[in-house]
Amino acid sequence: MRGPTFYQLHLLLDKHAGEQLGLIDLMGERVQTLGGVSIADPRHVAEVTTVPQPPNGVEEVPAMLSRLLEAHEIIIEKVRETITKTAGSRDDDTNDLLMSDVLRTNEIQVWFIAEHLLNIPVVRV
Amino acid sequence: MRGPTFYQLHLLLDKHAGEQLGLIDLMGERVQTLGGVSIADPRHVAEVTTVPQPPNGVEEVPAMLSRLLEAHEIIIEKVRETITKTAGSRDDDTNDLLMSDVLRTNEIQVWFIAEHLLNIPVVRV
Amino acid sequence: MRGPTFYQLHLLLDKHAGEQLGLIDLMGERVQTLGGVSIADPRHVAEVTTVPQPPNGVEEVPAMLSRLLEAHEIIIEKVRETITKTAGSRDDDTNDLLMSDVLRTNEIQVWFIAEHLLNIPVVRV
Amino acid sequence: MRGPTFYQLHLLLDKHAGEQLGLIDLMGERVQTLGGVSIADPRHVAEVTTVPQPPNGVEEVPAMLSRLLEAHEIIIEKVRETITKTAGSRDDDTNDLLMSDVLRTNEIQVWFIAEHLLNIPVVRV
Amino acid sequence: MRGPTFYQLHLLLDKHAGEQLGLIDLMGERVQTLGGVSIADPRHVAEVTTVPQPPNGVEEVPAMLSRLLEAHEIIIEKVRETITKTAGSRDDDTNDLLMSDVLRTNEIQVWFIAEHLLNIPVVRV
Amino acid sequence: MRGPTFYQLHLLLDKHAGEQLGLIDLMGERVQTLGGVSIADPRHVAEVTTVPQPPNGVEEVPAMLSRLLEAHEIIIEKVRETITKTAGSRDDDTNDLLMSDVLRTNEIQVWFIAEHLLNIPVVRV
Amino acid sequence: MRGPTFYQLHLLLDKHAGEQLGLIDLMGERVQTLGGVSIADPRHVAEVTTVPQPPNGVEEVPAMLSRLLEAHEIIIEKVRETITKTAGSRDDDTNDLLMSDVLRTNEIQVWFIAEHLLNIPVVRV
Amino acid sequence: MRGPTFYQLHLLLDKHAGEQLGLIDLMGERVQTLGGVSIADPRHVAEVTTVPQPPNGVEEVPAMLSRLLEAHEIIIEKVRETITKTAGSRDDDTNDLLMSDVLRTNEIQVWFIAEHLLNIPVVRV
Amino acid sequence: MRGPTFYQLHLLLDKHAGEQLGLIDLMGERVQTLGGVSIADPRHVAEVTTVPQPPNGVEEVPAMLSRLLEAHEIIIEKVRETITKTAGSRDDDTNDLLMSDVLRTNEIQVWFIAEHLLNIPVVRV
Amino acid sequence: MRGPTFYQLHLLLDKHAGEQLGLIDLMGERVQTLGGVSIADPRHVAEVTTVPQPPNGVEEVPAMLSRLLEAHEIIIEKVRETITKTAGSRDDDTNDLLMSDVLRTNEIQVWFIAEHLLNIPVVRV
Amino acid sequence: MRGPTFYQLHLLLDKHAGEQLGLIDLMGERVQTLGGVSIADPRHVAEVTTVPQPPNGVEEVPAMLSRLLEAHEIIIEKVRETITKTAGSRDDDTNDLLMSDVLRTNEIQVWFIAEHLLNIPVVRV
Amino acid sequence: MRGPTFYQLHLLLDKHAGEQLGLIDLMGERVQTLGGVSIADPRHVAEVTTVPQPPNGVEEVPAMLSRLLEAHEIIIEKVRETITKTAGSRDDDTNDLLMSDVLRTNEIQVWFIAEHLLNIPVVRV
């Protein structure tokens, strides 16, 4: 995140990170409420995540933001699948959590990042 | 908005206006997120609105509030149609925005206005 | 609520009571908005409630918390039935209120109480 | 609570209800401190209350507020009797709670309701 | 201030009184800054005020509000004369205080009171 | 209030004035609650006050503060007489207002002013 | 508002819109205080506005901001004419509102927008 | 304060200590107001206190809390004696301070500690 | 700023410094808005200021405050000259800034300092 | 985290997690300031961490807290080594960050956890 | 603390006392973290303190403040010795607590008190 | 500070200026505490500063930011020298102030400015 738009990206991604931490708390509590076990250790997360691993070292801003968009895409797709499942099984509480909190937060975040990238060639890794 | 209930209507409609401005922001952002273009210029709004135009000059309070109720009625009807469409097209995010924010705010506002008009003959223009 | 966990239960149940009072307000306003009449007098509540009456006098903490869990169970079951009905009748506003506010608050409250009772024999009255 | 003064009564009775809930908390804690058992279940409350039961269905505003005044009257009378008792038995703490919190809150609430009813024929049920 | 609009008038006049106390502080400090001596004792105020004395005892709301409007009228007239004087003598600070604070507060207060009295015959004492 | 202790007296008397305005509100509401009519017009106040009138023009700080102490003395004496009366007539609410709010505020204010005047000859007018 | 300065423009224009809404409230209340009728319906606004209508569809950021500057220019010119008129007719209150609130807010907003456009060719439509 | 209830006792005793510091301030100011001299140096306090000295070294939680209860008992007894004296000498201000602030705070604190100790054998040193 | 009035002068001059920093910001932005270049580097300020330079080393409080009064005098005189100019050239925005913010803040600050110096021989350097 | 101390552990560990997130932010910014690249992806973290991996599935509270203590032990040891290094290389900023923020936060957290585990057999995995 | 600087000393010493209570909390927690036992009972404090005991009865302000300065002197000397020890034993956490919190607070407090005493003969007891 | 990153630089430099003013206050108070005399008059500052004087007139953003970086460089170098001196003379309080407040604030500010300048040729004057 460097160059002449550094400070506004710093503010924007700070806000995004805070919102994602809020979602992680809500989803972790929901997993526990349903009798599951939330995972938090980075090695557990590393085993199950389907978001592609970033390269080592520094990335250019557009490449980094392009990967961020891709990660949102993967998450939104999975959330939409899970909404279908929770609607089918009448797990109304999880259903509402995914629609009202997880999906809406992620879609609006996509918009902010995508607007920033406009007129900048998007880099797919 | 005049006469002995002026100050309470002033407080009530101030609160309503603030809530409607919040909804306009949320819906404008959603339109942009979906790739559309929000309109804001009064001439654009005047071209597309289906809420009937108020008469020129001063209105009596009951007439003004009756028109307000009618406008809510038109909006609620359209929101409910759009909820049906967004449920059909699996646009879950818009769907939740319309149900959790737009519909619930408008219905509770209708209640507050309608209670005020009770025992006052409603005027249909 | 006595013994060495008194203060934390005091804090926890204070938070629960505040959240339930918030839900009561929301549901009361919804009933009025729909043209019904909310009841508040304890004798009216006593006539219609299906939550079993607690015994007179002091109860042991586990017994009291077990009854609380049971009451949540009864409420959650009824809320889920009503969600089915409101979805069927397209009462979208009530539907969202029950899913986003009532159900989610009650399920997370159940989790907090149930975790506390773990390893303590649950008492069914 | 309907008609052209609906919104101000809504604000006023909201404030009153919040103050009464605060008193209930203070008195419940005092009962527990003295070694008694506070009751909260509506069926227990229904058994011991001496405030007359409201009729079923909707009431006119003046009738509803008249009943509210009557209920305050019953409570204030009982509070004054109890102040005499607690002064006699040197239960200084309860005595101060009843004078500084319960009595003063109820008397000022009576004034607000009574001023509203002025020039409106009070209805005794 | 009695009858069915009691509570809203209570809120409105509370706000007005608070704003007038703020103006009194500002003007008192200005008088001191200019080397004068502010008066505060009610007997001093009674000697110099040109606002007519209210009758003893209780007044009807419309009469009381009509007198309030008249008092604003007297004050606004004097403020406007003083603005002319301070503009002439280049007392820019007092001039701005009277225009930005005193005049604007009084004129908007007149509006709120006058709207309330609309359709109620104004009583000149 | 001039000379090298000007700013601290300014802060102290600001705080005192704010507390006295709070007491005036409480007592005015109590008078109304009891069915009396609160007076507010300076000419009414001038007719009934027993606090001696200050001289015209500027006073030295010690003289002004001495008069302030004397005024508190007059008020405290009257409050203590009234406490005796309200205790006798079982007007518990007024009794508590005078003891918990009026008396305690005035006595602590006396202490702050008196400490300031220490080692300064008190001037009796 | 798209491209690499999207987020900061989002923050800046949010702040501008909030300030303009505040001015609209102040001016609407002033119109009512003077006995006029404020207009709010978009069709009324469309009839009287002299700000040129924006083209349909999406605009480039520099074109959009250039139009915003032009609109401020039109408003500032009208405000300055009105200040001359209100000074002439001794409408001191409106005069101060236009100078202290409307003019100062618009001029500082022009500065923020103009600084952003620096080194970007301004587009006149 | 160790073992599995450490954190809740930490929160509870923090709250208690803050409330006791508030009472010490109020009583110190009252002593000064009456013309006495408040003591604060630990050696002065050590000379006059009648609360028994705790043993050196670490105590078990129940022993420490039992001593705390005993200290409250000693204080409450003395406060009640002093209330009798201040009522007799018409020192209304001290009387109200002891009843409304000191006694009520100590009695509610006793309840919180006592509930914690329930089912734990109380240790008298 | 030393001696027995040290702490109150510390509080007072802290408040003054904060207010002056606020004015500097407002005037700097106004200069930029008008197309000028605000100066901030101390060497630039040193070149243009007309406030006399304080002597090296420590000053007595009265001397320091006397110089402060003199500096306010110089500033107020210049502000009044500039108000005449901005009124002549219809620079309404600067005019209002100087009257409503700069002049009023400086005059009230003069009063606070001057009251403190009363009865202390003013030292002109 | 289950059983009768569930709610207090929930509050305590929430507070700890928040404090650790704050430290992560501070250290990430320091790494960037020094020209390094902070890692955040769980796979990168998994590669470099020396904290032992927790077992899959649910753990008993004492085992989980014992592992938490062990992790703090590893971190504190590394922080102390790094403090030695940064003192040697005169990297004063990192040195202060590690002492004032990282070390002090971790040591006080250890105390809270350790007190909770007292009298519970610590489990080393 | 009496005479014409009473109120400012009251404010200043209130602030000092609050800061010292904060330091006592921090140091008490540090002692416990290190496995020691904090003392709080005034008799324990009386046994170990090296600050000289104040005389009985009322002291003149300069004598009281002089003793306060002396006490700070004793504490600062001990803190500086302990900083040397904790630096030697690599107790980095205590070291930072003493430097960043205890020493800095005490030194700035000394400055405020010393400035007040300037030009007043300091009294050594 | 002009062009398309104007608003974010405005926000960033506002935050920096506020932090530098806070450091100036802390260092000024420390100088006074040590018995020195803080300088504030711009002519005094101009005599002692070693930061090179900026050119007259407007600068391009990169040139201005480059000079800002250079100024931070000069300050950080001096601060590090002074830290060495204060460590040598055991002036622990100044030492901690420079490390915890001055150095850390300046280094993080350098990072924010430097990131902004990345990919923009740095201009050394």
Side-chain angles (χ1 to χ4, degrees), chain D residues 30 32 90 93 96-97 101, chain H residues 80 84 100 104 107 111:
Chain D
R30 185 63 194 151
Q32 300 280 139
R90 278 301 304 280
D93 189 334
D96 187 73
L97 170 65
D101 296 286
Chain H
R80 293 173 64 85
T84 310
S100 293
R104 284 180 64 181
E107 293 207 357
W111 177 49

Side-chain angles (χ1 to χ4, degrees), chain L residues 63-119:
Chain L
M64 189 271 274
L65 292 178
S66 302
R67 271 198 314 95
L68 184 55
L69 274 185
E70 240 181 325
H72 278 298
E73 217 172 84
I74 292 166
I75 287 166
I76 286 172
E77 201 173 344
K78 276 193 190 289
V79 168
R80 293 175 64 85
E81 283 167 22
T82 316
I83 286 172
T84 311
K85 280 191 206 143
T86 54
S89 63
R90 280 301 304 277
D91 179 356
D92 294 329
D93 190 336
T94 310
N95 191 258
D96 187 71
L97 170 66
L98 293 173
M99 275 177 75
S100 293
D101 296 287
V102 182
L103 191 61
R104 284 180 66 181
T105 302
N106 277 279
E107 293 206 355
I108 203 94
Q109 288 190 344
V110 162
W111 178 49
F112 275 86
I113 301 296
E115 289 292 319
H116 182 93
L117 281 175
L118 218 98
N119 302 326

Side-chain angles (χ1 to χ4, degrees), chain A residues 40-58:
Chain A
D41 187 89
R43 278 152 304 206
H44 285 175
V45 175
E47 282 165 18
V48 301
T49 183
T50 59
V51 175
Q53 179 161 7
N56 288 327
V58 190

